[in-house]
């Protein structure tokens, strides 16, 4: 493939991303930042955790993404009585009526899909939450000594309600770290809320056309890896992540005061991939410091374990990330 043909193919794939955003917009009013972050997670081959109070359209957003992508989509409603086998699958004893022989057959659970919506993930106990760990990290499911590969692409979009609400179980740190981005879904503004009322209570309901296939997604995920990231940007990401640890010499005062445990190396990997994906989503083949600044909070907010002092002084993880962006200078030259 010559250079001109390659550039044309790349540009065609970038244009397809704009069509994907437009398709989702036919069903979703506003929430531009949330839609962008979900697409970044998809392009970076990572999983996303959406947090917001009920009724903000989190489930509709994920369902619309599934409709716009010609992928297999499944939804699991997490409840206190859900068991790991309800997600992963189980073995069934079957009998061959001709021979009378019996054998176990693995019945795949809903996790065997391309796009899994784990709805209200933190309403189920830790035992069931942990059932997703291997699937999210390794893209496989092990059962009775046999490893089963999940379809590609495989993308988990989990929703959770704020932890202050009754009947919620905090996700363990190991599972939180499996999510590339922690996306916060906020209330719409007045104009958006009015548009939602008009769109959802009339006879005309927005439909989401299919604009992309699984092969298109895999090609875009491979293209993200080729997006250029300069040494200065890479150094800044490294320093931001290291400065989130209270014991690091470059940690700002806010980190030393409010953070018990900082982000690990996976945060740096996630931030690099996410910034590359954002650059591609914006039609660029090189990541910039603006991409890093835009994604530092979604990448790091769920990877910081705050202290009791932070809770007492009502400091959030986003406040710490903002202090990091202010306190860790961008490398000069």
């Amino acid at each position: 493939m010559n250079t001109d043909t390659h550039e044309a193919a790349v540009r065609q794939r970038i244009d397809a991303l704009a069509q994907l955003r437009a398709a989702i917009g036919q069903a979703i009013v506003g929430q531009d930042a949330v839609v962008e972050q979900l697409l970044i997670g998809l392009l970076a081959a990572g999983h996303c955790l959406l947090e917001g109070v009920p009724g903000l359209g989190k489930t509709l957003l994920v369902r619309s993404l599934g409709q716009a992508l010609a992928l297999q989509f499944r939804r699991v409603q997490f409840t206190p009585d859900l068991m790991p086998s309800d997600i992963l699958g189980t073995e069934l004893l079957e009998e061959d009526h001709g021979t009378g022989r019996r054998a176990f057959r693995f019945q795949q659970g809903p996790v065997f899909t391309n796009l899994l919506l784990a709805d209200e993930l933190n309403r189920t106990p830790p035992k069931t939450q942990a059932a997703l760990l291997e699937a999210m990290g390794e893209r496989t499911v092990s059962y009775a000594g046999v490893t089963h590969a999940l379809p590609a692409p495989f993308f988990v979009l989990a929703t959770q309600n704020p932890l202050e609400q009754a009947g919620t179980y905090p996700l363990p740190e190991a599972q939180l770290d499996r999510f590339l981005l922690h996306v916060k879904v906020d209330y719409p503004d007045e104009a958006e809320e009015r548009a939602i009322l008009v769109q959802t209570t009339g006879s005309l309901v927005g439909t989401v056309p299919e604009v992309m296939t699984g092969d298109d997604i895999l090609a875009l995920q491979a293209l993200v890896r080729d997006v250029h990231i300069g040494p200065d940007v890479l150094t800044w990401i490294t320093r931001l992540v290291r400065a989130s640890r209270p014991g690091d010499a470059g940690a700002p005062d806010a980190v030393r005061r409010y953070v018990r445990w900082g982000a690990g190396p996976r945060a740096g990997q996630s931030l690099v991939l996410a910034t590359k994906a954002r650059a591609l989503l914006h039609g660029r083949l090189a990541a910039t410091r603006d991409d890093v600044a835009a994604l530092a909070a979604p990448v790091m907010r769920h990877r910081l374990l705050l202290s009791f002092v932070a809770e007492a002084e009502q400091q959030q993880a986003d406040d710490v990330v903002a202090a990091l962006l202010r306190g860790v200078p961008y490398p000069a030259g």
Side-chain angles (χ1 to χ4, degrees):
M1 182 182 293
N2 60 43
T3 303
D4 291 340
T5 304
H6 176 70
E7 290 181 355
V10 169
R11 183 53 54 186
Q12 185 177 11
R13 296 200 182 280
I14 292 175
D15 292 341
L17 289 174
Q19 297 174 18
L20 179 59
R21 295 185 74 161
I24 296 173
Q26 294 186 31
I28 300 297
V29 177
Q31 302 290 7
D32 293 338
V34 174
V35 172
E36 175 170 295
Q37 289 173 31
L38 285 189
L39 294 180
I40 287 170
L42 180 66
L43 293 177
H47 311 294
C48 292
L49 177 65
L50 286 79
E51 180 178 329
V53 298
L56 294 183
K58 300 186 296 296
T59 303
L60 176 61
L61 174 57
V62 177
R63 188 178 297 277
S64 299
L65 177 61
Q67 291 171 350
L69 303 172
L71 299 176
Q72 187 179 24
F73 168 78
R74 288 182 179 174
R75 174 181 179 268
V76 176
Q77 179 65 50
F78 282 75
T79 57
D81 60 346
L82 197 72
M83 298 297 291
S85 59
D86 295 327
I87 305 168
L88 304 179
T90 188
E91 284 193 330
L92 302 177
L93 182 62
E94 293 185 339
E95 181 177 346
D96 187 323
H97 295 291
T99 63
R101 297 182 61 181
R102 294 182 178 182
F104 284 101
R105 179 180 62 85
F106 181 68
Q107 178 67 43
Q108 296 181 349
V111 75
F112 286 86
T113 186
N114 296 120
L115 179 58
L116 177 67
L117 170 57
D119 213 358
E120 296 188 301
L121 178 60
N122 63 334
R123 288 210 179 277
T124 200
K127 175 182 179 180
T128 307
Q129 292 174 0
L132 281 178
L133 275 176
E134 180 190 356
M136 292 173 62
E138 308 299 331
R139 265 73 171 180
T140 59
V141 168
S142 297
Y143 195 96
V146 179
T147 299
H148 306 269
L150 294 172
F154 176 67
F155 188 36
V156 174
L157 288 172
T159 69
Q160 74 169 9
N161 298 319
L163 296 180
E164 293 79 9
Q165 292 199 341
T168 57
Y169 301 84
L171 297 176
E173 287 78 6
Q175 184 157 349
L176 282 173
D177 202 33
R178 293 298 195 280
F179 288 102
L180 180 86
L181 301 176
H182 180 185
V183 182
K184 287 195 173 181
V185 185
D186 206 350
Y187 290 105
D189 61 31
E190 182 178 348
E192 291 173 345
E193 191 157 354
R194 184 181 185 280
I196 291 171
L197 298 180
V198 172
Q199 182 168 311
T200 57
T201 59
S203 57
L204 297 177
V205 180
T207 57
V208 180
E210 289 185 358
V211 298
M212 202 172 286
T213 66
D215 289 340
D216 293 329
I217 295 299
L218 292 174
L220 283 165
Q221 289 176 347
L223 186 57
V224 164
R225 297 271 177 168
D226 292 332
V227 171
H228 176 73
I229 184 165
D232 290 346
V233 177
L234 193 59
T235 297
W236 195 38
I237 290 175
T238 305
R239 291 176 180 174
L240 283 171
V241 173
R242 292 182 61 83
S244 72
R245 304 162 192 164
D248 188 78
D253 291 339
V255 170
R256 300 179 189 278
R257 181 171 178 82
Y258 299 128
V259 177
R260 291 171 59 194
W261 294 100
R266 187 177 281 134
Q269 296 170 331
S270 299
L271 192 49
V272 169
L273 286 173
T275 55
K276 287 185 173 186
R278 185 178 187 270
L280 190 66
L281 193 61
H282 285 255
R284 292 180 279 106
L285 294 178
T288 68
R289 61 187 297 181
D290 291 336
D291 296 320
V292 178
L295 292 168
V299 167
M300 297 179 68
R301 62 167 59 114
H302 57 299
R303 294 182 164 98
L304 301 178
L305 183 60
L306 301 186
S307 66
F308 295 112
V309 175
E311 183 177 355
E313 298 186 11
Q314 297 183 334
Q315 293 293 306
Q316 306 294 325
D318 285 11
D319 300 319
V320 175
V321 175
L324 279 169
L325 292 173
R326 292 192 304 267
V328 179
Y330 187 78

